[in-house]
Amino acid sequence: HTSLMQPVDDRGKIVGYEQPTIQTERTLDNLETALAEARTDLDRVVKLNVYVKDQQAVRDVTRLLSRRFGGAK
């Protein structure tokens, strides 16, 4: 179980301020790191809630999630 993953770098600073796809990419990187420490990966994720502030960014974020989780290219 993981919760509240953030788009932060190794120093705890927010990455990609006001750039949803960059923030999503970093958050997924952080999630993969946490999962690897538990000896698992994104293929084992059962549920993921994603909140997007800017409605215009939803399509790009959805594409990114699909790519990272092995969906349609």
Side-chain angles (χ1 to χ4, degrees), residues 14-25:
I14 295 289
V15 172
Y17 182 75
E18 295 292 328
Q19 298 175 330
T21 54
I22 291 172
Q23 288 187 340
T24 303
E25 194 78 63

Side-chain angles (χ1 to χ4, degrees), residues 12-69:
K13 301 234 182 223
I14 295 289
V15 172
Y17 182 75
E18 295 292 328
Q19 298 175 330
T21 54
I22 291 172
Q23 288 187 340
T24 303
E25 194 78 63
R26 183 57 189 219
T27 300
L28 291 174
D29 290 345
N30 293 345
L31 176 59
E32 279 188 307
T33 299
L35 292 171
E37 289 178 17
R39 296 185 308 244
T40 191
D41 58 30
L42 291 177
D43 290 339
R44 308 275 300 180
V45 171
V46 174
K47 182 179 179 184
L48 178 70
N49 293 322
V50 177
Y51 300 94
V52 181
K53 175 182 167 183
D54 181 359
Q55 185 66 27
Q56 294 179 354
V58 170
R59 184 175 358 157
D60 292 335
V61 169
T62 300
R63 282 187 192 138
L64 178 89
L65 290 168
S66 179
R67 181 174 51 82
R68 291 290 294 265
F69 280 93

